Amino acid sequence: MDTLETRELRYFLAVAEELHFGRAAERLGMAQPPLSRAIQQLERRLGVVLLTRNRRGVALTGAGEVLLHEGRAALDAATAAARRTRRAGGADAPGGSGNRLVLAVKAAAAHDLLQKLLDAYAAQPDAAEIEVLPSGMCEQEEMLRDGRADVALMHAPFDSLAGFDSEELMREGQIAVLPAGHPLAARRTLTLAEVGDIPGLPLARWPRHGVYPPGPGPEIRDQTQLAQLIALGRTVTVFPESARSWLWAAHATVPVTDAPPVVTHIAWPPHSRSVALAGLIRTATGL
């Protein structure tokens, strides 16, 4: 059979990600024997072996690797469809207002552009309510895929636009953000190599998809933490020029001449039929 149930996909993904039936069963809140039977039934229906089982544990076959990748996308699509349908019908909003869009943005990024967009769109006839959903580093992509957001402001080269429709809104250079009293704060320009090799001032590390890159710099969780650590002389970072809007008096900025430009896009899932979303995109591209 060529059809799969979302329940089957959830069961399989739990085992494929844990590579352990006991942990997968605990994660799903069920007993292990019915989980094992469900996976065996799925393999019989598909006519392929998805998992190899031995005393050392569980491993994915080639077919299992394919279903792991495709199954995640399919579950995200099903979840997104349910969330956007509920939002369109007002089932997830007080008062049942269905005229609402969720806009995912990276916290403190492109603040002036975001404010202009919200003000311009609010002035449009029949404008939908816009809920701004701040996100962490590289989280907008996942929010679009699983339906938590209808549209997002994304920033190349940091965010991936693969699989989305998008329009370019803004292009800007990058700056080093340093403690105000640091000797390099007096420089007219810096290079990426210079910023990455400042004695006693290691680069801040942001997670990408939940994983921090290696390095001596502090692991950063949010914008406020970063701002304080820079002000205390514990770290340095490279940000788009628009970051100047949230900096403190204890910070200094220096242009980084060889950093790639940051391009802000408005991005949304392909094949959208939302009239409200189309109106927001028209407003954004007209700024």
Side-chain angles (χ1 to χ4, degrees):
M1 297 179 65
D2 293 331
T3 58
L4 292 170
E5 298 178 3
T6 55
R7 175 183 58 84
E8 293 177 315
L9 286 176
R10 284 197 299 271
Y11 287 180
F12 170 75
L13 290 179
V15 177
E17 290 169 355
E18 298 290 344
L19 292 177
H20 191 281
F21 275 91
R23 290 194 298 269
E26 183 178 356
R27 169 174 153 182
L28 292 165
M30 63 187 298
Q32 183 174 333
L35 175 60
S36 297
R37 289 194 297 270
I39 298 300
Q40 291 169 355
Q41 182 180 5
L42 175 60
E43 289 177 318
R44 286 194 298 270
R45 288 180 58 233
L46 293 176
V48 297
V49 176
L50 300 170
L51 303 162
T52 58
R53 308 158 177 83
N54 54 46
R55 292 180 179 178
R56 293 190 299 273
V58 177
L60 289 168
T61 65
E65 292 280 1
V66 170
L67 187 56
L68 174 61
H69 175 75
E70 299 285 349
R72 282 171 173 160
L75 272 185
D76 280 349
T79 301
R83 284 173 169 162
R84 292 193 176 106
T85 298
R86 287 175 56 82
R87 196 149 56 235
D92 65 345
S97 172
N99 199 24
R100 186 167 69 97
L101 293 172
V102 176
L103 171 62
V105 300
K106 191 178 299 179
H111 174 77
D112 291 342
L113 174 65
L114 174 61
Q115 190 63 64
K116 290 177 182 177
L117 173 58
L118 294 176
D119 291 345
Y121 180 67
Q124 299 297 318
D126 301 321
E129 175 190 351
I130 301 295
E131 177 185 339
V132 177
L133 182 61
S135 69
M137 184 71 71
C138 302
E139 289 182 347
Q140 304 98 305
E141 177 183 351
E142 183 179 350
M143 290 176 172
L144 282 183
R145 294 197 193 283
D146 67 16
R148 282 177 289 169
D150 301 296
V151 59
L153 293 184
M154 299 174 73
H155 312 279
F158 309 113
D159 301 319
S160 172
L161 296 165
F164 301 118
D165 289 340
S166 65
E167 290 283 350
E168 180 179 328
L169 301 183
M170 182 176 72
R171 187 176 293 257
E172 59 184 321
Q174 297 197 64
I175 54 175
V177 185
L178 305 131
H182 195 276
L184 288 181
R187 288 277 297 274
R188 294 178 62 87
T189 62
L190 290 168
T191 65
L192 285 172
E194 289 172 326
V195 175
D197 191 29
I198 302 175
L201 204 63
L203 275 168
R205 292 183 293 141
W206 289 91
R208 293 184 67 86
H209 306 294
V211 179
Y212 285 94
E219 295 181 350
I220 302 301
R221 295 179 298 276
D222 58 53
Q223 210 79 25
T224 302
Q225 179 199 29
L226 174 65
Q228 185 172 36
L229 288 175
I230 293 173
L232 291 172
R234 303 301 176 89
T235 191
V236 62
T237 194
V238 176
F239 262 28
E241 290 176 355
S242 56
R244 288 190 175 98
S245 63
W246 59 264
L247 296 181
W248 301 356
H251 300 148
T253 64
V254 180
V256 180
T257 55
D258 59 346
V262 177
V263 185
T264 299
H265 294 78
I266 187 166
W268 64 96
H271 314 304
S272 172
R273 296 295 183 268
S274 168
V275 174
L277 177 57
L280 179 64
I281 294 163
R282 283 195 302 272
T283 301
T285 55
L287 292 175

